């Protein structure tokens, strides 16, 4: 039951984040709405996301192909490792973050 609620919440956040069109700044989050991180692959990439530190607990890991998307709640600092960073688009609260990186890399998402 709890897992079903979590899945529904993640889907709702993913749909909201992908719909874009928000004119509000990234830092502004409505009360009661949890910030989200949406990862979209534009090519094959393996991704791992950890909380708090670069060696913290893994909250998501997966192989993504072009057009795959995955949404995560953002509760503080995240550390994202990708095998081909150039194949990954990153959105934070519905706004695309710049990603000038390529190759295998770990980046911090504040």
């Amino acid at each position: 039951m709890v897992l079903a609620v979590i899945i529904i919440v993640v889907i709702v956040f993913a749909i909201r984040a992908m719909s874009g069109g928000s004119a509000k700044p990234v830092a502004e989050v409505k009360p009661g709405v949890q910030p989200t991180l949406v990862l979209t692959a534009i090519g094959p990439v393996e991704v791992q996301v950890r909380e708090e530190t670069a060696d913290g607990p893994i909250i998501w890991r997966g192989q993504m192909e072009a057009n795959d998307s995955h949404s995560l709640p953002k509760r503080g600092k995240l550390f994202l490792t990708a095998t081909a960073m150039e194949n990954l688009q990153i959105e934070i609260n519905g706004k695309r973050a710049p990603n000038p990186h390529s190759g295998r890399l770990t980046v911090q998402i504040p």
Side-chain angles (χ1 to χ4, degrees), residues 4-72:
V5 172
I6 291 171
I7 291 171
I8 291 170
V9 169
V10 168
I11 290 170
V12 169
F13 280 124
I15 291 170
R16 286 184 183 172
M18 286 184 209
S19 67
S22 175
K24 296 181 180 181
V26 173
E28 184 178 326
V29 177
K30 293 180 182 177
V33 175
Q34 187 169 5
T36 59
L37 172 70
V38 178
L39 306 172
T40 303
I42 57 174
V45 60
E46 187 175 330
V47 178
Q48 177 175 282
V49 181
R50 294 178 179 260
E51 282 186 316
E52 297 304 318
T53 64
D55 60 352
I58 297 171
I59 61 169
W60 187 75
R61 179 187 313 177
Q63 177 69 38
M64 300 175 75
E65 299 298 327
N67 299 317
D68 286 350
S69 231
H70 189 78
S71 179
L72 297 161

